[in-house]
Amino acid sequence: LEAGIAALVNSQAQAPRVSRYHVALGDACLNAGRLDCAGEQYAAAARYETLPDDAARNIAQADLWRQQGRPDMALPYYEAAVAQQPSEYNLFLLESAYREAGRFDLSANILAELRDRHPYSPEVLLAQATAQAAQDNIDQAVAHFEQAIALQKVLAQETVDSYLALAQVLLSANRLEEARTAIEAAIARRPYHPVAYRLQGELSDRQEQYEQAINAYERAYQLDPTQIDPFIALSNMLQVHGGRQEGIVSLLQETIEANPDEAILFLALGDQLQSNGDPAGAVEAFNNALDRLDAYVLSDNLRPRRSSAEGRAFIYARMARAYENLQESQTAINYYRAAVAAVPD
């Protein structure tokens, strides 16, 4: 890690006004637990961007912290931006950051202020619905969603995304028939929306209507093959409930072409090849999954996280099983040991 920081410092010295080098060094400092260094580099990154004013620069710094899962560090910058420029956009940003940080009291204060300013704004009602859902106040959330949708209809605005957000909340609360009504309303208004069919698949799965769930997930995937969730759900459904297995490898390969950096797709491909009696192909797929998992950890997560170690352990165990099928016992044992070492407790 220190060698990586040194390399970034050298790159930055060659081009000190290039924002992305400051972002990269700030990320590396954050990964090393050096918050002061990260803050200095994020401030420099915002300074060298072409931004209109100090409020925009504060938002840029806040976004950098928030993207790394540190809303606590982002909040002072959002607050400063609102103090400098209390626009509706900046207030919504601050409200969502408060909500993400679990500061629901402060989130509610901002939403009340926005509601006073804009009593006929569907956006404010939708934000209130989202905040209530985050606190598991489902009845209040549903009421706000319904009010927002009614306002959108009066104002001749699009309602599909609001119906889908409502459906997701209802599904999470296991209020399945209400969720069905919201999903059907979205599909009636936009018959080719992939998210609507993904939610329809989840609903059918919850109701143990597995054939309908498979059909819905397939439809969602066909409408937008760059989306990972419908494919993973479809793959799981086919593996658990059987049927139409012969096309799953081809489907996976098509999805990987559209999403070549997704570790989970290579993991799914390895599982499928393993079940199809191709352990050598499975090992290659699992290696690709490991490569992409490591790249993701280095470029995006930027802080050691238990979930990353668990992901590696999971893939190591899969590789061990594949090597067992190849009758390479010692290699299999080594990978089992690696899995235990990755998450020793």
Side-chain angles (χ1 to χ4, degrees), residues 94-154:
L94 178 57
E95 183 277 325
S96 65
Y98 279 143
R99 182 171 8 105
E100 187 177 327
R103 300 297 308 274
F104 295 112
D105 53 338
L106 297 176
S107 164
N109 291 340
I110 291 179
L111 290 172
E113 178 183 344
L114 285 167
R115 188 71 185 273
D116 288 341
R117 287 193 196 181
H118 308 284
Y120 301 108
S121 168
E123 289 76 15
V124 175
L125 285 165
L126 290 169
Q128 289 180 308
T130 303
Q132 292 293 340
Q135 300 171 77
D136 290 327
N137 298 327
I138 303 304
D139 288 338
Q140 295 93 319
V142 169
H144 281 117
F145 274 122
E146 290 175 344
Q147 291 172 35
I149 290 168
L151 257 180
Q152 287 174 323
K153 290 177 180 178
V154 169

Side-chain angles (χ1 to χ4, degrees), residues 263 265-275 278-293 314-323 335:
L265 292 178
F266 285 96
L267 178 60
L269 178 60
D271 283 343
Q272 190 60 41
L273 291 170
Q274 176 90 317
S275 66
D278 183 6
V283 166
E284 181 180 357
F286 292 143
N287 272 315
N288 280 321
L290 276 175
D291 290 343
R292 282 146 183 85
L293 182 66
F314 189 75
I315 298 172
Y316 289 149
R318 290 288 213 276
M319 292 184 75
R321 191 180 309 160
Y323 276 112
Y335 274 107

